[in-house]
Every structure is written in C-alpha cells, then in structure tokens.
Amino acid sequence: MHRSDVEFQSEGQTCRGWLYRPEGEGPFPAVVLAGGWCYVRELVMPYYAEAFAQAGIAALVFDYRNLGVSDGDVRQHLDPWAQIRDYRNALSFLERLDDVDADRLGVWGISYSGGHALILGATDPRVKCLVSQIPVIDGYENMRRAHGSVGYRRLWRTILDDRALRYDKPGERLHVPHATADPAADLGTWPFPETYHTFKALKETEAPLYQNSSTVESVDLLLEYDVVPFTRRIYDVPSLVIVAEADDLTLWDLEIGAYNQIPTAKKKLVTLPHTTHMTLYSDQDKLRAAAGHATAWFTEHLLPGGAS
C-alpha cells in the first residue's frame, strides 16, 4: 500500500487529500471517503482507507472545501450540497487516473457524509457501490429531537440572529461549537458531551486541524437536509447501511427507516451491538468491526469476481 498527496478542483477551488493505492498494478477499483460534521481527513478515515487498500481497492480521503487543508474562503462552513459536489468532483478526479477503473467506483460516508453517500448512490450513476455508516437522515427531525423543545428554541434564536447579521453586514457571520462539555449551559450543534470529549481527544492525538466550530448558517442548512427522498431512487446500487445499536445522536430509528425505503434488493443492514455513535470513533474494536463490514462489502461488489 502506498499513500500519496493529491489535489483536485471543485468549482474553482482546490480540495486536498490522500490517495491510498494497493500493491500491484492497476487499474484498481476505487472508493471516495469524506467526513461528517467539521471532520478533517485525519479523523478515523485513514483507518478505513488502509483497510480498503489492503484488500486491493484504492481509496481517496479528502477534506471538503472550507475545512482542513483544502481551500475555501468561508472557513468551517458546512454546506451539504457543496460537500456532495466535492464528492462528485473527487469521482471525476479518480476516473481520470490511469491506474483506476472508472467503471468500479464507490463511495463511503460516516455520520453527515453517511447521508451524502446515500444521496450520491441515488444521483450519480458512476457510483457502483456504497457504504453508509451511522448516517444523518433528516436534519430537522434530528435537531428537534437532539435539542429538545427548549434547546430547539435557543437554536432557532441563534439562527435568526445569524440571518440578521448576514443581512445587515454581508461577509460577517456567527459561529457555533460542534459540541460542548455542558450542553445545558452552552449551545452546540450536536448537544452531547461525549461528542465534545471524543473529538477533543482526537484533536489531541491524530487530527490537530479539527476545529470545534462551524458557521451558524451550516446549522440552518442542516435543517433543510433530508435523505429519504433520495433513498427511494436507489434501484440497483449495492448499498450497505451500518447503524449503531440505540444510536441517539443521528437516531438509529431514522437510519433503519431510510434503509427500508431503499428499493434495491442489493442492500444490507448491519446493526453493531453494544455500540454508540461515538464509540465508533473512540473504541478500536468497534472501529475494526465497522471497517471489516465495509471492506467485505466493497470487496464483494467492486473486485473482479464479485457479485456486481
């Protein structure tokens, strides 16, 4: 396996990432990986990319625009549709490489990008296989349930303050933490103390470019995000959905409901027992289990002699 620095253009700006190539000669199948809320490329994704490359599948891990080492003028701004376009441009980059088989491309996503992977499977015919882990399904329902009635009122007050600021002073905007240690006292987009502590530890150990912040407009856009209308379009793309038992961050009931809307017979649901949303980042055994399921799925459907 060999990892190299790469970059590609996405709507006039440069996205940067790592390309993991398997041993041997191509052309190889390839998978694109990108992260969830505020993630940078160092956050757990290299573990999955290494597992895919060791199985004979090239893997591209990249930072979206506005995050990490990629360009972008509005730092820490998370526009899900711009992120999906970054995924598409990553696919366009891969299909132009001599050692990549453009007819065997896949996408992998986790949390916010788990939803993106499902949308890409529905809207980009180049995607021949997908893995969606603990995906965000419905931003509006997710935020209402995660924050509760009183917290949701506070969230909306902040969004309206940001809208007013951006109208009165174009170019200025408010920011909100990804998570806080005391969600009852301090507003964060994802009001779970374990999220704050897990990502704090990851920043200290493996992802120094991670920032615990996004624009408030990012949350405004999250409230308009809904994957289900797209899952109904996945007719023939092998789709693996991995959920964590009793996940109350991105809501495993919504994840299972979205899985049930996928019409293709080429689908599989894996529920990881005794696992939470955040232990998929902090517990190496659970990380290995998820990576094993994802690797087996891509191996089956993208390598020669597989099911597809």
Side-chain angles (χ1 to χ4, degrees):
M1 183 188 66
H2 173 70
R3 190 184 84 178
S4 57
D5 293 318
V6 297
E7 59 183 46
F8 60 91
Q9 294 299 299
S10 187
E11 299 184 323
Q13 295 178 318
T14 301
C15 289
R16 297 180 178 87
W18 292 314
L19 180 59
Y20 295 74
R21 287 181 168 91
E23 293 292 337
E25 296 184 4
F28 305 107
V31 171
V32 178
L33 304 87
W37 198 265
C38 294
Y39 295 17
V40 290
R41 61 182 178 174
E42 296 90 349
L43 274 165
V44 307
M45 290 179 286
Y47 189 97
Y48 291 90
E50 290 172 8
F52 301 160
Q54 288 167 359
I57 299 167
L60 171 60
V61 178
F62 74 95
D63 281 337
Y64 302 116
R65 286 171 286 169
N66 302 315
L67 293 171
V69 295
S70 290
D71 290 349
D73 296 329
V74 186
R75 304 307 295 175
Q76 299 302 121
H77 182 58
L78 315 177
D79 180 336
W81 303 106
Q83 292 181 348
I84 288 166
R85 293 194 295 274
D86 290 346
Y87 259 104
R88 289 178 181 146
N89 288 317
L91 291 167
S92 296
F93 167 75
L94 283 175
E95 68 182 354
R96 285 162 172 75
L97 298 179
D98 291 339
D99 57 352
V100 167
D101 186 342
D103 293 323
R104 293 186 288 156
L105 300 177
V107 293
W108 174 98
I110 189 168
S111 199
Y112 208 9
S113 67
H116 300 354
L118 292 167
I119 293 172
L120 286 156
T123 60
D124 195 321
R126 295 174 297 178
V127 174
K128 298 303 192 293
C129 185
L130 72 87
V131 173
S132 172
Q133 296 189 193
I134 50 175
V136 173
I137 298 299
D138 180 337
Y140 168 76
E141 181 71 14
N142 211 151
M143 289 293 98
R144 285 201 61 155
R145 285 168 56 177
H147 285 270
S149 295
V150 174
Y152 191 63
R153 293 175 196 167
R154 180 173 57 166
L155 184 69
W156 258 111
R157 285 196 298 270
T158 303
I159 291 171
L160 292 176
D161 288 344
D162 178 67
R163 289 182 183 179
L165 175 65
R166 287 187 286 115
Y167 181 83
D168 292 332
K169 299 180 179 180
E172 294 190 26
R173 57 189 64 227
L174 298 177
H175 289 74
V176 63
H178 177 182
T180 63
D182 185 0
D186 303 309
L187 180 65
T189 302
W190 296 92
F192 304 94
E194 64 267 34
T195 299
Y196 172 80
H197 292 296
T198 298
F199 279 92
K200 182 176 184 292
L202 289 169
K203 179 179 177 66
E204 293 170 352
T205 57
E206 61 189 59
L209 294 182
Y210 163 77
Q211 295 183 42
N212 180 30
S213 175
S214 75
T215 63
V216 171
E217 188 184 5
S218 301
V219 187
D220 205 346
L221 294 168
L222 172 62
L223 292 171
E224 301 171 357
Y225 183 80
D226 188 354
V227 172
V228 171
F230 296 93
T231 57
R232 294 195 292 263
R233 304 183 196 177
I234 303 175
Y235 303 116
D236 197 41
V237 178
S239 303
L240 174 65
V241 176
I242 299 174
V243 305
E245 184 181 43
D247 180 356
D248 59 357
L249 272 73
T250 51
L251 308 174
W252 75 320
D253 59 310
L254 295 186
E255 295 165 351
I256 293 171
Y259 170 83
N260 288 335
Q261 292 288 325
I262 298 172
T264 183
K266 302 174 184 177
K267 66 178 182 177
K268 183 178 181 181
L269 176 69
V270 171
T271 301
L272 299 175
H274 313 297
T275 306
T276 69
H277 192 97
M278 295 315 304
T279 55
L280 269 179
Y281 302 86
S282 61
D283 187 319
Q284 289 294 311
D285 288 338
K286 300 184 189 309
L287 178 60
R288 278 191 290 270
H293 287 295
T295 302
W297 189 254
F298 284 130
T299 298
E300 178 183 356
H301 294 284
L302 291 181
L303 285 176
S308 61

